[in-house]
PDB file of all heavy atoms in Angstrom:
ATOM      1  N   ASP A  25      -2.609  -2.928   9.603  1.00 98.00           N
ATOM      2  CA  ASP A  25      -3.789  -3.150   8.756  1.00 98.00           C
ATOM      3  C   ASP A  25      -3.864  -2.084   7.677  1.00 98.00           C
ATOM      4  O   ASP A  25      -3.802  -0.869   7.959  1.00 98.00           O
ATOM      5  CB  ASP A  25      -5.027  -3.092   9.642  1.00 98.00           C
ATOM      6  CG  ASP A  25      -6.296  -3.294   8.893  1.00 98.00           C
ATOM      7  OD1 ASP A  25      -6.599  -4.461   8.552  1.00 98.00           O
ATOM      8  OD2 ASP A  25      -7.004  -2.297   8.636  1.00 98.00           O
ATOM      9  N   LEU A  29      -4.311   2.108   7.915  1.00 98.00           N
ATOM     10  CA  LEU A  29      -3.312   3.067   7.389  1.00 98.00           C
ATOM     11  C   LEU A  29      -3.904   3.988   6.339  1.00 98.00           C
ATOM     12  O   LEU A  29      -3.567   5.149   6.319  1.00 98.00           O
ATOM     13  CB  LEU A  29      -2.140   2.277   6.791  1.00 98.00           C
ATOM     14  CG  LEU A  29      -1.294   1.526   7.833  1.00 98.00           C
ATOM     15  CD1 LEU A  29      -0.205   0.722   7.087  1.00 98.00           C
ATOM     16  CD2 LEU A  29      -0.663   2.469   8.819  1.00 98.00           C
ATOM     17  N   ALA A  39      -5.930  17.075   8.184  1.00 98.00           N
ATOM     18  CA  ALA A  39      -5.381  17.903   9.249  1.00 98.00           C
ATOM     19  C   ALA A  39      -4.405  18.940   8.703  1.00 98.00           C
ATOM     20  O   ALA A  39      -4.272  20.049   9.221  1.00 98.00           O
ATOM     21  CB  ALA A  39      -4.713  17.034  10.305  1.00 98.00           C
ATOM     22  N   ASN A  55       3.947  -4.750  24.232  1.00 98.00           N
ATOM     23  CA  ASN A  55       2.691  -4.273  24.786  1.00 98.00           C
ATOM     24  C   ASN A  55       2.723  -4.433  26.310  1.00 98.00           C
ATOM     25  O   ASN A  55       2.272  -3.502  27.013  1.00 98.00           O
ATOM     26  CB  ASN A  55       1.511  -5.053  24.192  1.00 98.00           C
ATOM     27  CG  ASN A  55       0.189  -4.425  24.493  1.00 98.00           C
ATOM     28  OD1 ASN A  55      -0.057  -3.232  24.224  1.00 98.00           O
ATOM     29  ND2 ASN A  55      -0.701  -5.214  25.068  1.00 98.00           N
ATOM     30  N   GLY A  60       0.405  -1.819  28.072  1.00 95.00           N
ATOM     31  CA  GLY A  60      -0.768  -1.906  27.188  1.00 95.00           C
ATOM     32  C   GLY A  60      -1.745  -2.933  27.715  1.00 95.00           C
ATOM     33  O   GLY A  60      -1.377  -3.902  28.408  1.00 95.00           O
ATOM     34  N   THR A  76       0.840  14.667  20.631  1.00 98.00           N
ATOM     35  CA  THR A  76       0.321  16.027  20.478  1.00 98.00           C
ATOM     36  C   THR A  76       1.089  16.958  21.414  1.00 98.00           C
ATOM     37  O   THR A  76       1.400  16.606  22.543  1.00 98.00           O
ATOM     38  CB  THR A  76      -1.203  16.146  20.790  1.00 98.00           C
ATOM     39  OG1 THR A  76      -1.434  15.672  22.096  1.00 98.00           O
ATOM     40  CG2 THR A  76      -1.988  15.299  19.774  1.00 98.00           C
ATOM     41  N   SER A  79      -3.017  21.805  23.089  1.00 96.00           N
ATOM     42  CA  SER A  79      -4.459  21.607  22.922  1.00 96.00           C
ATOM     43  C   SER A  79      -4.939  21.925  21.513  1.00 96.00           C
ATOM     44  O   SER A  79      -5.841  21.301  20.966  1.00 96.00           O
ATOM     45  CB  SER A  79      -5.258  22.380  23.939  1.00 96.00           C
ATOM     46  OG  SER A  79      -5.029  23.758  23.825  1.00 96.00           O
ATOM     47  N   GLY A  93     -13.278   9.201   9.407  1.00 98.00           N
ATOM     48  CA  GLY A  93     -14.110   8.040   9.705  1.00 98.00           C
ATOM     49  C   GLY A  93     -13.794   7.240  10.942  1.00 98.00           C
ATOM     50  O   GLY A  93     -14.439   6.260  11.220  1.00 98.00           O
ATOM     51  N   ARG A  96     -13.224   5.513  17.289  1.00 98.00           N
ATOM     52  CA  ARG A  96     -12.660   4.995  18.503  1.00 98.00           C
ATOM     53  C   ARG A  96     -11.384   5.803  18.823  1.00 98.00           C
ATOM     54  O   ARG A  96     -10.358   5.597  18.188  1.00 98.00           O
ATOM     55  CB  ARG A  96     -12.321   3.520  18.418  1.00 98.00           C
ATOM     56  CG  ARG A  96     -13.578   2.625  18.299  1.00 98.00           C
ATOM     57  CD  ARG A  96     -13.176   1.132  18.336  1.00 98.00           C
ATOM     58  NE  ARG A  96     -12.197   0.833  19.365  1.00 98.00           N
ATOM     59  CZ  ARG A  96     -12.469   0.697  20.697  1.00 98.00           C
ATOM     60  NH1 ARG A  96     -13.688   0.831  21.116  1.00 98.00           N
ATOM     61  NH2 ARG A  96     -11.500   0.444  21.525  1.00 98.00           N
ATOM     62  N   PHE A 103      -0.887  12.665  23.946  1.00 98.00           N
ATOM     63  CA  PHE A 103      -1.136  11.878  22.734  1.00 98.00           C
ATOM     64  C   PHE A 103      -2.602  11.564  22.535  1.00 98.00           C
ATOM     65  O   PHE A 103      -3.405  11.715  23.452  1.00 98.00           O
ATOM     66  CB  PHE A 103      -0.321  10.561  22.766  1.00 98.00           C
ATOM     67  CG  PHE A 103      -0.840   9.541  23.774  1.00 98.00           C
ATOM     68  CD1 PHE A 103      -1.735   8.542  23.372  1.00 98.00           C
ATOM     69  CD2 PHE A 103      -0.438   9.563  25.086  1.00 98.00           C
ATOM     70  CE1 PHE A 103      -2.207   7.599  24.274  1.00 98.00           C
ATOM     71  CE2 PHE A 103      -0.892   8.624  26.000  1.00 98.00           C
ATOM     72  CZ  PHE A 103      -1.806   7.639  25.590  1.00 98.00           C
ATOM     73  N   HIS A 105      -4.893   8.283  21.060  1.00 98.00           N
ATOM     74  CA  HIS A 105      -4.951   6.900  20.570  1.00 98.00           C
ATOM     75  C   HIS A 105      -6.094   6.834  19.574  1.00 98.00           C
ATOM     76  O   HIS A 105      -7.159   7.418  19.823  1.00 98.00           O
ATOM     77  CB  HIS A 105      -5.240   5.904  21.717  1.00 98.00           C
ATOM     78  CG  HIS A 105      -5.616   4.552  21.242  1.00 98.00           C
ATOM     79  ND1 HIS A 105      -4.681   3.544  21.107  1.00 98.00           N
ATOM     80  CD2 HIS A 105      -6.787   4.032  20.852  1.00 98.00           C
ATOM     81  CE1 HIS A 105      -5.288   2.477  20.654  1.00 98.00           C
ATOM     82  NE2 HIS A 105      -6.565   2.754  20.467  1.00 98.00           N
ATOM     83  N   PRO A 110     -12.779  -3.593  14.614  1.00 97.00           N
ATOM     84  CA  PRO A 110     -14.180  -3.939  14.482  1.00 97.00           C
ATOM     85  C   PRO A 110     -14.713  -4.840  15.597  1.00 97.00           C
ATOM     86  O   PRO A 110     -15.908  -5.031  15.742  1.00 97.00           O
ATOM     87  CB  PRO A 110     -14.263  -4.663  13.120  1.00 97.00           C
ATOM     88  CG  PRO A 110     -12.893  -5.235  12.935  1.00 97.00           C
ATOM     89  CD  PRO A 110     -11.962  -4.255  13.571  1.00 97.00           C
ATOM     90  N   VAL A 116     -16.915   5.733  20.428  1.00 98.00           N
ATOM     91  CA  VAL A 116     -16.470   5.959  21.800  1.00 98.00           C
ATOM     92  C   VAL A 116     -15.255   6.878  21.813  1.00 98.00           C
ATOM     93  O   VAL A 116     -14.431   6.814  20.926  1.00 98.00           O
ATOM     94  CB  VAL A 116     -16.144   4.639  22.557  1.00 98.00           C
ATOM     95  CG1 VAL A 116     -17.385   3.782  22.744  1.00 98.00           C
ATOM     96  CG2 VAL A 116     -15.080   3.856  21.833  1.00 98.00           C
TER      97      VAL A 116
END
Side-chain angles (χ1 to χ4, degrees):
D25 180 77
L29 292 175
N55 192 55
T76 58
S79 61
R96 291 186 44 79
F103 71 94
H105 166 94
V116 294

